[in-house]
């Protein structure tokens, strides 16, 4: 029994075409394998390059963050030194201001003493109330005290304004140091982060620029400005403290010199007054002595005048009695002329004594 075979009704290719197809597939596979090999090598190279680039980028970023932290720390250290100097200057300025205020109180006390001295000297009476050298020096001292008081009061006002300015600057510097500490903490926290940290996430817009974003040059200029401003304010405060200290020493010297002048003028005035007093007392003693002598002289004049009464009575009685002569005996003889002359002399003597007595009284 024979077997019947049927051929599939599909087109058939020639053997040469089959070899060509096989060769084409082989070449295609080799081409894809070569491409895959090259692509794999390029991929591995790219991975290695990206890993290296990422590593060094991270390393450079860490170095920049570290350098930035060092730079901020250095500026923080410099500003902290200036901040401590600023606090010390504020404290010294307050102490100097308190000393100046106490010195003004001391000047007020001297001013009160000077006014009291002038008030006491105004209690003088009569001719002793005069513009002598002591009054002039006391008024000069009063004027000097008033000028020094106004000068130091103005200096205290300037010190108060400077203290307010320094305290305001202190607050601003403290805020700046707080910001720098915060920045250092942030940078330190960033340096502690790695690609394997748990607190890292993708952010929606990490490259956004805030409105108050500053450039590095502006930040550096601001740090220099803060440091320079602190140094300038401290220098101004030191000059102000010198202007507060120097006038006090000058004031003390001026007051000592003026006090010496006042004391000298008062001692001179006391000496002149005592000298005049002693001279007046001596004059008073002389006048009292002369008065006693003069009273005795008046008493002698009165006695002399009284002693002239009896001789006058005698002369007048004789003249009266001689008028009772009779006849030819009633004549102007030498005796009568002598009696008249004696009476005239007694009248003149009495008149002279009365005039002198009235003059002496």
């Amino acid at each position: 029994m024979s077997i019947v075979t049927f051929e599939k009704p599909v087109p058939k290719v020639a053997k040469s075409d089959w070899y060509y197809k096989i060769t084409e597939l082989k070449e295609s596979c080799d081409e894809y394998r070569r491409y895959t090999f090259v692509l794999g090598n390029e991929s591995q190279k790219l991975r290695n390059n990206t890993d290296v680039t990422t590593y060094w980028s991270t390393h450079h970023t860490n170095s920049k963050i570290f350098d930035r932290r060092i730079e901020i720390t250095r500026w923080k250290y410099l500003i902290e030194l200036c901040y401590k100097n600023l606090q010390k200057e504020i404290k010294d300025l307050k102490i100097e201001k308190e000393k100046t205020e106490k010195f003004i109180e001391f000047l007020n006390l001297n001013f009160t003493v000077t006014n009291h001295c002038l008030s006491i000297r105004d209690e003088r009476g009569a001719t002793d109330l005069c513009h002598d050298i002591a009054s002039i020096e006391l008024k000069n001292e009063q004027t000097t005290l008033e000028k020094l008081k106004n000068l130091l009061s103005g200096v205290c006002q300037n010190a108060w304004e400077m203290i307010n300015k320094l305290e305001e600057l202190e607050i601003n510097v403290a805020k700046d140091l707080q910001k720098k500490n915060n920045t250092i903490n942030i940078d330190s926290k960033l340096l502690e982060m790695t690609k394997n940290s748990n607190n890292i996430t993708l952010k929606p817009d990490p490259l956004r620029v805030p409105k108050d974003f500053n450039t590095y040059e502006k930040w550096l200029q601001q740090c220099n400005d803060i440091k320079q401003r602190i140094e300038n304010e401290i220098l101004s405060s030191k000059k102000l403290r010198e202007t507060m200290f120097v006038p006090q020493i000058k004031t003390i010297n001026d007051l000592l010199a003026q006090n010496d002048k006042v004391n000298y003028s008062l001692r001179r005035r006391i000496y002149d007054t005592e000298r005049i007093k002693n001279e007046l007392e001596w004059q008073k003693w002389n006048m009292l002595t002369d008065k006693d002598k003069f009273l005795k002289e008046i008493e002698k004049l009165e006695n002399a005048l009284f002693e002239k009464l009896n001789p006058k009575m005698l002369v007048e009685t004789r003249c009266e009695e001689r008028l009772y002569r009779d006849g030819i005996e009633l004549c102007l003889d030498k005796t009568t002329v002598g009696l008249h002359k004696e009476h005239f002399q007694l009248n003149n003597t009495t008149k002279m004594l009365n005039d002198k007595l009235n003059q002496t009284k």
Side-chain angles (χ1 to χ4, degrees), residues 25-38:
L25 288 174
K26 181 180 178 182
E27 290 178 355
S28 178
C29 289
D30 291 339
E31 182 68 23
Y32 277 111
R33 286 178 63 247
R34 285 194 299 272
Y35 178 73
T36 303
F37 178 77
V38 172

Side-chain angles (χ1 to χ4, degrees), residues 61-77 180-193 216 219:
T61 301
N62 290 336
S63 298
K64 290 178 181 179
I65 294 175
F66 182 77
D67 293 339
R68 177 62 176 166
R69 187 180 66 174
I70 291 177
E71 184 180 17
I72 295 176
T73 304
R74 182 175 63 84
W75 274 108
K76 174 195 168 186
Y77 176 74
K180 282 180 170 51
N181 286 326
N182 186 30
T183 303
I184 292 172
N185 293 332
I186 292 174
D187 289 341
S188 299
K189 185 178 179 181
L190 293 179
L191 287 175
E192 293 175 357
M193 290 183 180
Y216 172 77
W219 172 84

Side-chain angles (χ1 to χ4, degrees), residues 108-123:
N108 288 332
L109 179 60
N110 288 341
F111 194 78
T112 303
V113 172
T114 303
N115 287 335
H116 185 63
C117 291
L118 288 172
S119 299
I120 292 176
R121 299 196 86 245
D122 287 340
E123 295 177 0

Side-chain angles (χ1 to χ4, degrees), residues 272-286:
D272 292 339
T273 304
E274 288 181 348
R275 182 174 59 83
I276 297 299
K277 177 186 175 183
N278 294 332
E279 183 176 354
L280 291 176
E281 287 179 350
W282 182 77
Q283 293 291 345
K284 179 182 178 181
W285 181 81
N286 289 334

Side-chain angles (χ1 to χ4, degrees), residues 30-214:
D30 291 339
E31 182 68 23
Y32 277 111
R33 286 178 63 247
R34 285 194 299 272
Y35 178 73
T36 303
F37 178 77
V38 172
L39 186 62
N41 287 335
E42 290 179 353
S43 176
Q44 184 178 3
K45 182 179 179 181
L46 180 61
R47 285 189 296 105
N48 292 333
N49 289 335
T50 54
D51 289 341
V52 171
T53 302
T54 302
Y55 173 79
W56 284 109
S57 296
T58 304
H59 178 74
H60 291 158
T61 301
N62 290 336
S63 298
K64 290 178 181 179
I65 294 175
F66 182 77
D67 293 339
R68 177 62 176 166
R69 187 180 66 174
I70 291 177
E71 184 180 17
I72 295 176
T73 304
R74 182 175 63 84
W75 274 108
K76 174 195 168 186
Y77 176 74
L78 292 176
I79 295 177
E80 278 182 346
L81 288 179
C82 295
Y83 182 70
K84 291 179 181 178
N85 293 332
L86 179 63
Q87 289 179 326
K88 182 177 180 299
E89 185 61 30
I90 292 174
K91 182 179 179 181
D92 294 340
L93 186 58
K94 287 182 178 179
I95 293 174
E96 195 65 34
K97 179 175 175 291
E98 291 178 358
K99 290 181 180 179
T100 305
E101 290 175 348
K102 291 181 180 179
F103 193 77
I104 291 176
E105 293 178 359
F106 172 72
L107 292 181
N108 288 332
L109 179 60
N110 288 341
F111 194 78
T112 303
V113 172
T114 303
N115 287 335
H116 185 63
C117 291
L118 288 172
S119 299
I120 292 176
R121 299 196 86 245
D122 287 340
E123 295 177 0
R124 296 172 297 169
T127 56
D128 288 331
L129 185 60
C130 61
H131 292 288
D132 52 5
I133 186 173
S135 298
I136 294 173
E137 292 299 336
L138 282 172
K139 289 183 179 179
N140 289 337
E141 183 177 6
Q142 188 181 35
T143 304
T144 303
L145 288 171
E146 187 66 25
K147 290 181 180 179
L148 294 174
K149 179 183 175 182
N150 293 333
L151 174 63
L152 293 178
S153 297
V155 172
C156 281
Q157 179 66 25
N158 294 334
W160 179 77
E161 294 176 357
M162 179 61 71
I163 288 173
N164 291 336
K165 186 185 295 185
L166 293 178
E167 288 179 346
E168 182 181 359
L169 180 60
E170 180 186 9
I171 294 173
N172 294 332
V173 173
K175 290 181 180 179
D176 185 76
L177 289 175
Q178 184 178 1
K179 293 177 182 178
K180 282 180 170 51
N181 286 326
N182 186 30
T183 303
I184 292 172
N185 293 332
I186 292 174
D187 289 341
S188 299
K189 185 178 179 181
L190 293 179
L191 287 175
E192 293 175 357
M193 290 183 180
T194 62
K195 62 182 180 179
N196 298 321
S197 299
N198 295 326
N199 56 346
I200 58 175
T201 58
L202 294 176
K203 306 299 179 182
D205 189 11
L207 301 180
R208 66 185 182 277
V209 178
K211 293 181 179 180
D212 55 349
F213 205 76
N214 297 318

